[in-house]
Amino acid sequence: MAVGSTYKVVELVGSSSANIQEAVDGAIARAAQTIRNLDWFEVKEIRGTIADGKANWYQVKVGVGFRVDGGEDIRED
Amino acid sequence: MAVGSTYKVVELVGSSSANIQEAVDGAIARAAQTIRNLDWFEVKEIRGTIADGKANWYQVKVGVGFRVDGGEDIRED
Amino acid sequence: MAVGSTYKVVELVGSSSANIQEAVDGAIARAAQTIRNLDWFEVKEIRGTIADGKANWYQVKVGVGFRVDGGEDIRED
Amino acid sequence: MAVGSTYKVVELVGSSSANIQEAVDGAIARAAQTIRNLDWFEVKEIRGTIADGKANWYQVKVGVGFRVDGGEDIRED
Amino acid sequence: MAVGSTYKVVELVGSSSANIQEAVDGAIARAAQTIRNLDWFEVKEIRGTIADGKANWYQVKVGVGFRVDGGEDIRED
Amino acid sequence: MAVGSTYKVVELVGSSSANIQEAVDGAIARAAQTIRNLDWFEVKEIRGTIADGKANWYQVKVGVGFRVDGGEDIRED
Amino acid sequence: MAVGSTYKVVELVGSSSANIQEAVDGAIARAAQTIRNLDWFEVKEIRGTIADGKANWYQVKVGVGFRVDGGEDIRED
Amino acid sequence: MAVGSTYKVVELVGSSSANIQEAVDGAIARAAQTIRNLDWFEVKEIRGTIADGKANWYQVKVGVGFRVDGGEDIRED
Amino acid sequence: MAVGSTYKVVELVGSSSANIQEAVDGAIARAAQTIRNLDWFEVKEIRGTIADGKANWYQVKVGVGFRVDGGEDIRED
Amino acid sequence: MAVGSTYKVVELVGSSSANIQEAVDGAIARAAQTIRNLDWFEVKEIRGTIADGKANWYQVKVGVGFRVDGGEDIRED
Amino acid sequence: MAVGSTYKVVELVGSSSANIQEAVDGAIARAAQTIRNLDWFEVKEIRGTIADGKANWYQVKVGVGFRVDGGEDIRED
Amino acid sequence: MAVGSTYKVVELVGSSSANIQEAVDGAIARAAQTIRNLDWFEVKEIRGTIADGKANWYQVKVGVGFRVDGGEDIRED
């Protein structure tokens, strides 16, 4: 069949008090708690908040893609 | 712990026959009906339809962010 | 009432081994399996994978908009 | 027939000394003076001039779309 | 003379119930009805409307360029 | 002389609990407190925070341009 | 009255065999042949063609804005 | 080892007198003549030339990615 | 009062010979030496210089936002 | 030490009645009047005003970067 | 045959101590030393370095396109 | 002589199973195997693949610039 899988992309913002890398990984880990078939991610925005003269939260917006081939309600993904 | 909250961003389009401001507020109000922990919004696109020589619907695309720290199914957010 | 319908946009990636057009249509067809009131779509990205010197999967990222006026849980859309 | 209507988009900048909303509406109203079949608009840029410490002109660039199916000279639209 | 031809770009949206390709071609064909010296086109946006769970209109925004060297009123192009 | 005035653009974020328009105006008013020769503004980003299911702060990022022809220290503008 | 002038922006591509500057000026000069009330321009794209190992045509896409307050047919501008 | 493969992306423009799809495929086929390990492609721009009132060449700019792990001269890829 | 705080955003480029993360933090730390009320940051560009076959300076452009509500000269921020 | 210099970028608009090149140079020259350690520039926008059918002011927005390592008040740069 | 020529685009940065125009031309001239069938160019970025209070190098990033129909190794272009 | 060096930019995607930083460095290291005169890099895109609920490959698209002043075949770089 010519038509293949369909994927869905959800936009998450992970946060970390340590660094940018951990904020990315945190968003993916959170997605993995309830989404099966996670396939890829894309970093869209890196920002954060500052307190006491240094970054206290790194916040990274991440698009996370996963396969939705089954008959599950796509509204829910 | 270094990893902090994760947020999700959903994309809504609010509409109003009155003006741009009300279309933004309408999208947020609709989000608030079923989403807890709403945190921020970002206006992404302002457009609309024209009838009888004036705008009859202002349509504003808004990203709405909210915290998803609990164990709820993130596919659903 | 001045405030009108609210719409939600979900981001899907359709895929096809045949061509770009079919990948777009596949994403919309998949959305239609579980989402009512589908209203419009926007093509955001066209890419794919290559094997044996030709495209084996065309992958098209599509934003799909639909009306969410009812009281249903908007987190799920 | 598979081919449907063609639309044209013209770019206008509306201005108002009162606010952004009125600048948008002014551009659409001006378009409506001489263009039939106006269909939609898109806000592209919001800027303005400042005098005496406040905005004296709000200027909003708006794309205005209209149907051009008839045989009229499209160069003129 | 060092200064060469001047070209004008008009923005059209072609539509087709069949596919994206035909929407592009329809916009160019419509332009050709009243504009001479058409030279090039650029696809700017691919979107459309959905009805009954599938795309019923593909809408493609196309910039169409043409030479305006003569003394004709450029406002009209 | 062929070289004319030089302008500087500073980036401000105005905020309002009422609406987008007032956030724009607030940023310009604040700029006017200490900057002479304000000339134009450009809206760059519209966002805000949500509390109790509605926007509690509209935040608009605005570029504000002003003439810096005198010998004043441009680092300070 | 709070609503002020409306402006229209047309997109032209000027060309020159000499340099980029002359291509910009050529587009504006061509616009001035038939458009009154020219007000501003914006350079959108700089490109060109190459022959015999050097640029033979510099082509600059320029948006040209002009006031359209009168009752003239805006379709023609 | 934590460091994995490196890929290179080259930018090609495929052309076809028939349609957009064939222009994409043509670029990939040409790449496959001399590049091994082709992995993915990204469509970056769709444009073309017009003659006799219709598109005579569809031109699609495509980024084509391939693995370059071996010791081959990367300048050549 | 409906009008709230105004913030200013300054653009800094931090640099580090070690990694991207440290370049971000360095820009924020430098800002904190002379700016009070630092509130947030946005990463805008990641680049750097190469020497001896590896990155010797990572350079990250960062927008840093801070509150300017007091009567201080905003030109100076 | 791994952390290196910090740079600041200010946004200026140079203007010239002669050409684009001179507007760029004018912005840099103005910056040099009061800023030490100027390091690089980036052209961000080329536009201008039209009078009597030709450009009377070329206006070029330029980002100008300079080193701010010393203890000087960064708010002022 | 429907499939036409394939083109390749390489990205060069030309530099000049004199002006922007010469930096563009220098990049094209360098390309012409070893590439046949050069066809078009696109200016992508204008920047440079500053010394002694004025631009000492103008640096212009230029995409240069050329035909690659023959059987030559496309990796090398 | 006013015309200075010409640089070429090639686009690479580095990958690492460990983190984003290492993917950037890996792309530069691979470039350094066969390209002399490497000068700067620009991070263009950060993405990756997910397996078992976490990122298994971080993939960073990097533009790498190097001087090409000699008479070497620029097609090969």
Side-chain angles (χ1 to χ4, degrees):
Chain A
M1 190 185 64
V3 174
S5 299
T6 300
Y7 301 81
K8 188 176 177 187
V9 186
V10 293
E11 195 165 85
L12 301 176
V13 177
S15 68
S16 161
S17 60
N19 54 50
I20 294 167
Q21 177 69 43
E22 196 177 84
V24 174
D25 294 340
I28 296 171
R30 178 61 184 82
Q33 287 183 20
T34 53
I35 305 180
R36 283 165 302 144
N37 300 323
L38 289 173
D39 204 62
W40 85 92
F41 68 95
E42 319 162 8
V43 172
K44 296 182 168 187
E45 193 180 84
I46 301 173
R47 53 189 298 152
T49 55
I50 303 176
D52 297 329
K54 59 178 185 165
N56 62 333
W57 288 112
Y58 299 94
Q59 301 165 326
V60 184
K61 193 185 283 182
V62 181
V64 178
F66 54 100
R67 211 177 59 244
V68 290
D69 289 335
E72 69 271 30
D73 191 346
I74 198 169
R75 291 180 308 147
E76 299 185 7
D77 295 297
Chain B
M1 187 186 64
V3 174
S5 298
T6 300
Y7 301 81
K8 187 175 177 187
V9 185
V10 293
E11 194 166 86
L12 300 176
V13 177
S15 68
S16 161
S17 58
N19 54 49
I20 293 167
Q21 178 69 44
E22 196 178 82
V24 173
D25 293 339
I28 296 170
R30 178 62 184 82
Q33 287 182 20
T34 53
I35 305 180
R36 285 166 300 145
N37 300 323
L38 288 173
D39 204 62
W40 85 93
F41 68 95
E42 321 162 7
V43 172
K44 296 183 169 188
E45 192 181 82
I46 301 173
R47 53 190 300 152
T49 55
I50 304 175
D52 298 328
K54 59 179 185 164
N56 61 332
W57 288 111
Y58 298 94
Q59 301 166 326
V60 184
K61 193 184 284 181
V62 182
V64 178
F66 54 100
R67 209 176 61 245
V68 291
D69 289 335
E72 69 271 31
D73 190 347
I74 198 169
R75 291 180 308 146
E76 299 184 9
D77 293 298
Chain C
M1 187 185 65
V3 174
S5 299
T6 300
Y7 301 83
K8 188 176 177 186
V9 185
V10 293
E11 194 166 86
L12 301 176
V13 177
S15 67
S16 161
S17 58
N19 54 49
I20 293 166
Q21 178 68 45
E22 196 177 83
V24 174
D25 294 339
I28 297 170
R30 178 62 184 82
Q33 287 183 21
T34 52
I35 304 180
R36 285 166 299 144
N37 300 323
L38 289 173
D39 204 61
W40 85 93
F41 68 95
E42 321 162 5
V43 172
K44 296 183 169 188
E45 190 180 85
I46 301 173
R47 53 190 299 152
T49 54
I50 303 176
D52 298 328
K54 58 178 186 165
N56 62 333
W57 288 111
Y58 299 94
Q59 301 165 326
V60 184
K61 193 185 284 181
V62 182
V64 178
F66 54 99
R67 211 178 57 245
V68 290
D69 289 335
E72 71 270 31
D73 190 346
I74 199 169
R75 290 181 308 147
E76 300 185 7
D77 294 296
Chain D
M1 188 186 64
V3 175
S5 298
T6 301
Y7 301 82
K8 188 175 177 187
V9 185
V10 293
E11 195 165 87
L12 301 175
V13 177
S15 67
S16 161
S17 59
N19 54 49
I20 293 167
Q21 178 68 46
E22 196 177 82
V24 173
D25 293 339
I28 296 170
R30 178 62 184 83
Q33 286 182 21
T34 52
I35 304 180
R36 285 165 300 145
N37 300 324
L38 289 173
D39 204 61
W40 86 92
F41 68 95
E42 320 162 7
V43 173
K44 297 182 167 187
E45 193 180 83
I46 301 173
R47 54 190 299 152
T49 54
I50 303 176
D52 297 329
K54 58 178 186 164
N56 60 334
W57 288 111
Y58 299 94
Q59 301 165 327
V60 184
K61 193 185 283 181
V62 182
V64 178
F66 54 100
R67 210 176 60 243
V68 290
D69 289 334
E72 70 270 31
D73 191 346
I74 199 170
R75 291 180 307 148
E76 299 185 9
D77 293 297
Chain E
M1 187 185 64
V3 174
S5 298
T6 300
Y7 301 82
K8 187 176 176 187
V9 185
V10 293
E11 194 165 85
L12 301 175
V13 177
S15 67
S16 160
S17 58
N19 53 49
I20 293 167
Q21 178 68 45
E22 197 177 81
V24 173
D25 294 340
I28 297 170
R30 179 62 184 81
Q33 287 183 21
T34 52
I35 305 179
R36 284 166 302 144
N37 300 323
L38 288 173
D39 203 63
W40 86 92
F41 67 95
E42 319 163 7
V43 173
K44 296 183 168 187
E45 191 180 83
I46 301 173
R47 54 190 299 152
T49 54
I50 304 176
D52 298 329
K54 58 178 187 166
N56 62 333
W57 288 111
Y58 299 93
Q59 301 165 327
V60 183
K61 193 184 284 182
V62 182
V64 178
F66 54 99
R67 211 176 60 244
V68 290
D69 288 335
E72 71 271 30
D73 191 345
I74 198 170
R75 291 181 307 147
E76 299 184 8
D77 294 296
Chain F
M1 188 185 63
V3 175
S5 299
T6 300
Y7 301 81
K8 188 176 177 187
V9 186
V10 293
E11 194 166 85
L12 301 176
V13 177
S15 68
S16 161
S17 59
N19 54 48
I20 293 167
Q21 178 69 45
E22 196 177 83
V24 173
D25 294 339
I28 297 170
R30 178 62 184 82
Q33 287 183 19
T34 51
I35 305 180
R36 285 165 300 144
N37 301 322
L38 289 173
D39 203 63
W40 85 94
F41 68 95
E42 320 162 7
V43 173
K44 296 182 167 189
E45 192 180 84
I46 302 172
R47 54 189 300 152
T49 55
I50 303 176
D52 297 329
K54 58 178 186 167
N56 62 332
W57 288 111
Y58 299 93
Q59 301 165 326
V60 184
K61 193 185 284 181
V62 181
V64 177
F66 54 99
R67 211 178 58 244
V68 290
D69 289 334
E72 70 269 32
D73 191 345
I74 199 169
R75 291 180 309 148
E76 299 185 9
D77 294 297
Chain G
M1 189 187 62
V3 174
S5 299
T6 301
Y7 301 82
K8 188 176 178 188
V9 185
V10 293
E11 195 166 86
L12 300 176
V13 177
S15 67
S16 161
S17 59
N19 54 49
I20 293 166
Q21 178 68 44
E22 196 177 84
V24 173
D25 293 339
I28 296 170
R30 179 61 185 83
Q33 286 182 20
T34 52
I35 304 180
R36 284 166 301 143
N37 300 325
L38 289 173
D39 203 62
W40 86 93
F41 68 95
E42 320 163 7
V43 173
K44 296 183 169 187
E45 191 181 84
I46 301 174
R47 52 189 301 153
T49 55
I50 304 175
D52 298 329
K54 58 178 185 165
N56 61 333
W57 288 111
Y58 299 94
Q59 302 165 327
V60 183
K61 193 185 283 181
V62 182
V64 178
F66 54 100
R67 210 177 61 244
V68 291
D69 288 334
E72 69 271 31
D73 190 346
I74 198 169
R75 290 181 308 147
E76 300 185 8
D77 294 296
Chain H
M1 188 186 63
V3 174
S5 299
T6 300
Y7 301 81
K8 187 175 177 187
V9 185
V10 293
E11 194 166 86
L12 301 176
V13 177
S15 67
S16 161
S17 59
N19 54 49
I20 293 166
Q21 178 69 43
E22 197 178 82
V24 173
D25 294 339
I28 296 170
R30 178 62 184 81
Q33 286 184 19
T34 52
I35 304 179
R36 284 165 302 143
N37 299 324
L38 289 173
D39 204 62
W40 84 93
F41 67 95
E42 320 163 6
V43 173
K44 296 183 168 186
E45 191 180 84
I46 301 173
R47 53 190 300 153
T49 55
I50 303 176
D52 298 329
K54 58 178 186 164
N56 62 333
W57 288 112
Y58 298 94
Q59 301 165 326
V60 184
K61 193 184 283 181
V62 182
V64 178
F66 54 99
R67 210 177 60 245
V68 290
D69 288 335
E72 69 271 30
D73 190 345
I74 199 169
R75 292 181 308 147
E76 300 185 8
D77 294 297
Chain I
M1 187 186 65
V3 174
S5 298
T6 300
Y7 301 82
K8 188 177 178 186
V9 185
V10 294
E11 194 166 86
L12 300 176
V13 177
S15 68
S16 162
S17 59
N19 53 50
I20 294 167
Q21 178 68 45
E22 196 177 83
V24 174
D25 294 339
I28 296 170
R30 178 61 184 82
Q33 287 183 20
T34 52
I35 305 180
R36 285 166 301 143
N37 300 323
L38 289 173
D39 204 61
W40 85 93
F41 67 96
E42 321 162 6
V43 173
K44 296 183 168 187
E45 191 179 85
I46 301 172
R47 53 188 301 152
T49 55
I50 303 176
D52 297 330
K54 58 178 185 166
N56 61 333
W57 288 111
Y58 299 95
Q59 301 165 327
V60 184
K61 193 184 283 181
V62 181
V64 177
F66 54 100
R67 210 177 59 245
V68 290
D69 288 334
E72 69 271 31
D73 191 346
I74 199 169
R75 291 181 307 147
E76 299 185 8
D77 293 296
Chain J
M1 188 186 63
V3 174
S5 298
T6 300
Y7 301 82
K8 188 175 177 188
V9 186
V10 292
E11 194 166 85
L12 302 176
V13 177
S15 68
S16 161
S17 59
N19 54 48
I20 293 167
Q21 178 68 44
E22 196 177 82
V24 174
D25 294 340
I28 296 170
R30 178 63 183 81
Q33 287 182 19
T34 52
I35 305 180
R36 283 165 302 143
N37 300 325
L38 289 174
D39 203 62
W40 85 94
F41 68 96
E42 321 162 8
V43 173
K44 296 182 168 189
E45 191 180 83
I46 301 172
R47 54 189 299 153
T49 55
I50 303 175
D52 299 329
K54 58 178 185 165
N56 62 332
W57 288 111
Y58 299 95
Q59 302 165 327
V60 184
K61 193 185 284 181
V62 182
V64 178
F66 54 99
R67 210 176 61 244
V68 290
D69 289 333
E72 70 270 32
D73 190 346
I74 199 169
R75 290 180 308 147
E76 300 184 8
D77 294 298
Chain K
M1 188 186 63
V3 174
S5 298
T6 300
Y7 301 82
K8 188 176 177 186
V9 185
V10 293
E11 195 166 86
L12 301 176
V13 177
S15 68
S16 161
S17 59
N19 55 49
I20 293 167
Q21 178 68 45
E22 195 177 83
V24 173
D25 293 340
I28 297 170
R30 179 61 185 80
Q33 287 183 19
T34 52
I35 304 180
R36 285 165 300 144
N37 301 321
L38 289 173
D39 203 62
W40 86 93
F41 68 95
E42 320 162 6
V43 173
K44 296 182 168 188
E45 192 179 84
I46 301 173
R47 55 190 297 152
T49 55
I50 303 176
D52 298 328
K54 58 177 185 168
N56 61 333
W57 288 111
Y58 299 94
Q59 301 165 326
V60 184
K61 193 185 283 182
V62 182
V64 177
F66 54 100
R67 209 176 62 244
V68 291
D69 289 334
E72 70 271 30
D73 191 347
I74 199 169
R75 291 180 308 147
E76 300 184 7
D77 294 297
Chain L
M1 188 185 63
V3 174
S5 299
T6 300
Y7 301 81
K8 188 176 177 187
V9 186
V10 293
E11 194 166 85
L12 301 176
V13 177
S15 67
S16 161
S17 59
N19 54 49
I20 293 167
Q21 178 68 44
E22 196 177 85
V24 173
D25 294 340
I28 296 170
R30 178 62 183 82
Q33 287 183 20
T34 53
I35 305 180
R36 284 165 300 143
N37 300 324
L38 288 173
D39 204 61
W40 85 93
F41 68 95
E42 320 162 7
V43 173
K44 297 182 168 188
E45 192 179 83
I46 301 173
R47 53 190 300 152
T49 54
I50 303 175
D52 297 330
K54 58 178 186 166
N56 61 333
W57 288 113
Y58 299 94
Q59 301 165 327
V60 184
K61 192 185 283 182
V62 182
V64 178
F66 54 100
R67 211 178 58 245
V68 291
D69 289 334
E72 69 271 31
D73 191 345
I74 199 170
R75 291 180 307 147
E76 299 184 8
D77 294 297

